[in-house]
Amino acid sequence: MAAAGLALPWLQTGCIRNRPLPRLLASRAPLPPQFAVPLPRPPVLRPVRSDDKSDYYEMTARTAKLPILPGLTTEIWGYEGTVPGPTIEARQGRAVSLKLRNELARPIVNHLHGGRTPPESDGYPTDLILPVSGWDVAAHRGMSGMAGDPRARISQGERIHTYPNEQRAATLWYHDHRMDFTAAQVWRGLAGFYILRDEDELKLPLPRGEKEWPLLICDRSFDRDGSLLYPSLDRALLERGGVEPEYMGGVLGDVMLVNGAPWPQLEVANTRYRFRILNACNARQLELALETSGAGPREFVQIGSDGGLLAAPLRHKTIRMAPAERFDVVIDFAGVPKGAAVTLVNRAGTGAMAQILRFVVAREEKDEATVPERLSTLEPADASRATVTRTFDFSYQGMDRQGMERGWTINGKPFDAARMDATPKLGATEIWQMRTDFSHPLHLHLVHFQVLSHSGRPGPYDAGMKDTLNLGAGQTANLLIHFAGYRGRYVFHCHNLEHEDMAMMANFEVV
Ligand code: C2O
Ligand code: CU
Ligand code: CU
């Protein structure tokens, strides 16, 4: 975008004292009642064919009108027309080939978040899949991010992605990554789960089947007619990315959706359940806790994080989750009387946004599942293996020479597809020191990392293999990163999606 030499319209000009905070966008539609609809389970995508090495999937991104709020319909952009998109169930050692067709009227990009993916399938932000209906590339040359990237791999109408699944079992997710418009397009619905399983995990006696749920939590706002509200500068999502200046810090919704339903309810047995929780909000931090009126669970047993199982379970009374982080937890409903409720609440929210999901114990059953004290083998973080240390500063600051125009930057620079910010060697281990004056969920493509320090010791939510770090204001964290997998160009960025679209992204090339 800087390479395109365009004015960046969301830039704030002049002397700005304060970093902009995420801001609530209030719905104009009446808020729906809480705990009135059942929790939906996202449909599982079936392969169109399989051979001995791979499963072949086809998926279409298109619009659909869904009844999300009572009495209204909402036009969404969804994979297979659903929100969330269908879940892809993958097995370690079997590749997934995903053909994605774009029946939307705007370009899309597909990224598998947490996937160790070859660069040509990773969803680099300029690797656009143009609409099937046609797209006049010449007419949209001025679009920021489109110009100035000779390495962009643009495809017409559809694209085949290969996910090798040569990594440990983990809760991954796929979502849109279109240059400059990721936040607006994910907000419209372009996100879904990708659950990778392996033999080691399948041997464990964890809750499974009907007692294992993916939970995609996101906040959204709705207009009077039920349509989604979003403060894009360019409502047509054609030329100019970013949001209105007052939302520059991030957009917060006032309706909490879990698997696409507002404040739903789930009937459970009085046994253990496994929940793979994803914070799919654009900019909202969550602080999960459990509330019960009588007997019942008051803690989560964390069994996994972004990059799969922990070595041993960890107990938490609350879990702080930044956008894009995943927490794999077991909740034990033993001892909750039949008919009683347990509520998953958000201590970081107020009013209706302090509520998420209600469980009601509807039946008594014998529990077949347990949580073993040893879950998997993780190599201890060994900082002495690192051969290179790099430092990245995430800040809100001047982006031009005079320091007058301010934006979200990494080492003082806005994203530029033509600039390489780090060139780690394939197979190398490095320490990346991340520093910020503000809260940013930082994410690297391709790799998982271990947190060596996080303003002191690793934080309570940093255990295991991570791909997203919840870096708070004024904090410094050291990440131990092993660059395994593939050579090629990838991005790292803030996963507050408004920050990401407004330039807080950079490149690394594995060489
Ligand atoms: Cu989930 Cu580049 O992001
Ligand atoms: Cu990613
Ligand atoms: Cu940020």
Side-chain angles (χ1 to χ4, degrees):
M1 34 208 233
L6 294 171
L8 301 176
W10 38 261
L11 282 175
Q12 299 199 356
T13 316
C15 169
I16 287 151
R17 306 123 317 249
N18 298 317
R19 289 170 284 272
L21 289 166
R23 184 183 171 116
L24 187 79
L25 176 64
S27 287
R28 300 192 187 115
L31 297 188
Q34 296 187 330
F35 318 127
V37 293
L39 174 71
R41 187 183 279 275
V44 172
L45 195 65
R46 298 285 162 218
V48 291
R49 68 192 172 86
S50 295
D51 58 28
D52 52 343
K53 289 200 194 67
S54 308
D55 298 303
Y56 300 83
Y57 292 89
E58 292 178 9
M59 197 163 73
T60 300
R62 56 181 174 85
T63 62
K65 285 203 150 79
L66 303 182
I68 297 174
L69 302 181
L72 295 171
T73 56
T74 303
E75 183 172 295
I76 58 90
W77 291 12
Y79 303 105
E80 297 294 285
T82 71
V83 168
T87 301
I88 295 178
E89 285 275 356
R91 274 303 266 280
Q92 187 189 54
R94 288 188 63 74
V96 160
S97 162
L98 172 66
K99 187 198 275 184
L100 179 60
R101 183 177 154 85
N102 181 12
E103 290 184 2
L104 295 164
R106 296 291 174 272
I108 59 173
V109 171
N110 195 51
H111 170 58
L112 177 61
H113 181 124
R116 188 190 289 169
T117 307
E120 59 279 7
S121 290
D122 190 58
Y124 190 84
T126 53
D127 287 354
L128 305 178
I129 308 171
L130 301 180
V132 168
S133 57
W135 183 261
D136 188 346
V137 175
H140 298 293
R141 257 203 212 294
M143 200 164 83
S144 58
M146 279 278 295
D149 186 15
R151 294 177 71 178
R153 313 163 184 93
I154 293 177
S155 41
Q156 300 286 341
E158 62 185 35
R159 173 178 199 107
I160 296 174
H161 306 76
T162 303
Y163 304 126
N165 297 324
E166 286 161 359
Q167 60 186 99
R168 53 202 300 267
T171 306
L172 312 182
W173 63 301
Y174 61 94
H175 62 78
D176 190 65
H177 220 302
R178 177 184 168 199
M179 185 73 215
D180 296 344
F181 297 96
T182 295
Q185 300 197 161
V186 170
W187 184 271
R188 290 176 189 215
L190 293 174
F193 279 105
Y194 184 107
I195 311 278
L196 177 58
R197 300 177 193 274
D198 65 20
E199 294 301 324
D200 291 345
E201 189 184 301
L202 286 166
K203 279 189 207 131
L204 299 178
L206 296 168
R208 63 182 66 206
E210 286 305 300
K211 295 186 179 178
E212 181 197 320
W213 282 81
L215 300 179
L216 183 145
I217 302 174
C218 65
D219 56 342
R220 295 292 184 265
S221 302
F222 296 86
D223 209 344
R224 223 166 264 119
D225 61 358
S227 59
L228 286 162
L229 276 176
Y230 189 78
S232 292
L233 271 177
D234 176 357
R235 299 291 155 115
L237 308 189
L238 275 173
E239 312 287 338
R240 317 191 313 175
V243 290
E244 293 165 3
E246 52 283 32
Y247 291 96
M248 172 133 200
V251 181
L252 305 177
D254 60 2
V255 176
M256 198 72 96
L257 301 177
V258 188
N259 295 347
W263 294 289
Q265 171 172 307
L266 176 66
E267 291 193 349
V268 294
N270 61 337
T271 62
R272 294 180 183 84
Y273 279 72
R274 176 179 185 178
F275 297 101
R276 299 169 181 264
I277 306 176
L278 161 64
N279 179 346
C281 300
N282 279 25
R284 183 182 285 277
Q285 293 262 344
L286 301 171
E287 189 170 355
L288 308 178
L290 293 167
E291 274 182 13
T292 71
S293 45
R298 290 194 164 74
E299 59 179 20
F300 305 92
V301 179
Q302 186 193 356
I303 57 171
S305 65
D306 303 340
L309 290 174
L310 305 181
L314 271 180
R315 289 162 197 283
H316 301 286
K317 288 227 157 21
T318 61
I319 294 180
R320 257 203 104 86
M321 282 188 93
E325 283 188 296
R326 284 88 71 211
F327 283 85
D328 196 343
V329 304
V330 170
I331 301 177
D332 189 354
F333 297 101
V336 183
K338 211 167 132 183
V342 175
T343 309
L344 178 67
V345 299
N346 170 28
R347 293 259 158 85
T350 56
M353 296 314 278
Q355 307 292 317
I356 300 175
L357 166 65
R358 175 158 292 171
F359 305 104
V360 175
V361 174
R363 50 187 195 278
E364 292 172 359
E365 265 173 33
K366 185 166 165 300
D367 200 348
E368 312 285 343
T370 55
V371 179
E373 279 312 309
R374 257 188 59 87
L375 294 163
S376 81
T377 318
L378 280 182
E379 286 206 14
D382 177 7
S384 71
R385 284 198 318 241
T387 50
V388 177
T389 300
R390 302 177 200 269
T391 301
F392 295 100
D393 265 300
F394 296 78
S395 66
Y396 181 69
Q397 65 167 70
M399 305 202 318
D400 61 346
R401 234 175 262 144
Q402 293 76 32
M404 292 300 282
E405 298 199 314
R406 296 191 149 223
W408 299 109
T409 66
I410 301 178
N411 284 351
K413 295 172 201 143
F415 180 70
D416 180 348
R419 185 188 68 235
M420 197 46 63
D421 301 277
T423 49
K425 291 205 176 69
L426 183 65
T429 299
E430 301 196 350
I431 293 174
W432 284 25
Q433 181 173 84
M434 312 302 226
R435 301 195 298 220
T436 181
D437 53 356
F438 195 66
S439 164
H440 299 289
L442 305 180
H443 169 55
L444 280 83
H445 286 213
L446 179 69
V447 293
H448 286 96
F449 52 79
Q450 286 165 299
V451 180
L452 293 172
S453 66
H454 191 161
S455 283
R457 296 158 57 95
Y461 313 120
D462 293 338
M465 301 305 296
K466 298 282 294 166
D467 58 45
T468 306
L469 172 80
N470 192 3
L471 195 62
Q475 294 186 335
T476 297
N478 286 331
L479 312 181
L480 186 70
I481 312 174
H482 180 55
F483 287 88
Y486 305 94
R487 290 191 177 81
R489 183 177 66 159
Y490 296 89
V491 288
F492 64 104
H493 56 85
C494 177
H495 221 289
N496 172 317
L497 294 181
E498 284 78 26
H499 295 187
E500 175 189 332
D501 277 348
M502 293 180 286
M504 195 170 253
M505 181 158 71
N507 293 293
F508 67 94
E509 177 133 25
V510 181
V511 296

